[in-house]
Amino acid sequence: MRASLLAVAATSVLVLSACGSQAPEVVTPDARAEAATDGETSDSTATVEVEEVSDEETTGAEAEGDAPEDEPEDEEAPEEVSGELGLGDTAQVGDYKVAVTEVLLDANDVVQQANEFNDDPEGQYVLVSMEVTYTGDDEGNPWLDLNVELAGSDARIYDSSSCWAVTPNSLMDVPTLTTGGTADFDVCFDVPVEALEDPRVRVEESFSFSDTRVIWDPSREGTQTEDPEDDTPPPAAGGADALPLGTEAEVGDYTVAVSDVLLDANDVVQQANEFNDDPEGQYVLVSMEVTYTGDDEGDPWLDLNVELAGSDARIYDSSSCWGVTPNSVMDVPTLTTGGTADFDVCFDVPVEALDAPRIRVDDFLSFNSDSRTVWESQK
């Protein structure tokens, strides 16, 4: 029976092919099964008519099933980088407003010209230029408070310890900042060349257990709109309460008085020693009188920390001045109980920091900020 049905089907196909213009009749397995069940002979043909399909439907089916190979593919939208800033963009990192302003990926010549004793890099020197503003309520040291890293395209993270070279505008030269104090500086890295195809700069708070990290892309320009300049002056240098010149106060094991402050001491310092260099800013001499009140012995140069709180919201210490002065604290001998001494402390300070600065004195080895006393610089 199966052979007979196959023969009938073949005969039907040949007949239909000869007709040409008529829609074909298709013999389905179900129709054959019905024919077999009903006992039809081999001469009978079980057919099922198939509805004619319109040209429009056929075209649509072809379009849906077989898309033309030469049809252009949709272009993918450019991937947006999330959370990365461009050069010049500002972000809050801990107690600082931070901006990465420039990244010099090949800084070999710049670094080597900064100091003749700088060695050649193991890889390639990179200089990251930054601007920061301290926004905290106390004091800030960017070199200590901020962690700056370079995330290389080799999937490695590099920190500034990779570079031991002296740079033109080192972070280590930035003084302590008070509220509103600003600084610009560069951070150096010594990085393999293969890490510099598409690096990133990462900045985060050094001693924070929360996520403070911000990332800059050196290949992108910043898009932030600049804020209008804030003309509000920074808080009074050194704190709100300051003693008049000549007033005594207890600081650690000493009775201390700031007796005079010479804001323009250039001539005095340069006359004190012919080998003194010109100041980078302006020499300031602070005259002091102290009495040791402890039970043992005291060395004022070691026990007392004297600083100048500038009107630029920066704190300067005596290491800013390398000049020999007429009455140096280093010449004061060790004091016993009741011993007195008068001496001067020198500072080299930018001129813009000397609009009503203040003098701060505290116990050098004390971790108690209550030991600090502040004096006005002018009567």
Side-chain angles (χ1 to χ4, degrees), residues 76-161:
E76 294 184 0
E79 182 180 355
E80 293 185 1
V81 181
S82 175
E84 294 185 355
L85 302 180
L87 294 179
D89 284 339
T90 302
Q92 190 72 34
V93 182
D95 286 333
Y96 294 83
K97 285 184 178 179
V98 178
V100 174
T101 56
E102 184 180 9
V103 177
L104 185 58
L105 294 180
D106 185 357
N108 289 354
D109 292 342
V110 175
V111 172
Q112 289 176 323
Q113 290 173 7
N115 190 293
E116 61 179 320
F117 298 106
N118 284 340
D119 293 327
D120 293 336
E122 294 185 4
Q124 185 164 296
Y125 284 130
V126 176
L127 279 183
V128 176
S129 299
M130 302 178 61
E131 294 178 355
V132 303
T133 300
Y134 179 69
T135 60
D137 297 328
D138 193 6
E139 298 175 1
N141 291 284
W143 68 270
L144 179 64
D145 301 333
L146 297 175
N147 183 38
V148 184
E149 298 173 322
L150 189 142
S153 47
D154 58 353
R156 294 185 175 189
I157 306 299
Y158 301 89
D159 59 34
S160 58
S161 66

Side-chain angles (χ1 to χ4, degrees), residues 276-344:
N276 283 341
D277 293 327
D278 293 336
E280 293 185 5
Q282 185 165 297
Y283 284 130
V284 176
L285 278 183
V286 176
S287 298
M288 303 181 59
E289 297 175 356
V290 302
T291 300
Y292 179 70
T293 59
D295 298 328
D296 195 3
E297 298 177 353
D299 292 285
W301 67 270
L302 179 63
D303 301 333
L304 298 175
N305 183 40
V306 184
E307 299 172 320
L308 186 147
S311 50
D312 59 352
R314 293 183 172 193
I315 306 299
Y316 301 89
D317 59 35
S318 58
S319 65
S320 61
C321 172
W322 290 92
V324 176
T325 60
N327 189 21
S328 173
V329 66
M330 301 303 298
D331 296 333
V332 176
T334 299
L335 304 177
T336 57
T337 305
T340 63
D342 62 272
F343 54 86
D344 53 49

Side-chain angles (χ1 to χ4, degrees), residues 53-63:
V53 181
S54 66
D55 293 340
E56 293 180 1
E57 290 176 339
T58 303
T59 303
E62 290 177 353

Side-chain angles (χ1 to χ4, degrees), residues 37-49:
T37 303
D38 295 337
E40 293 182 358
T41 65
S42 61
D43 294 335
S44 62
T45 304
T47 62
V48 176
E49 291 188 2

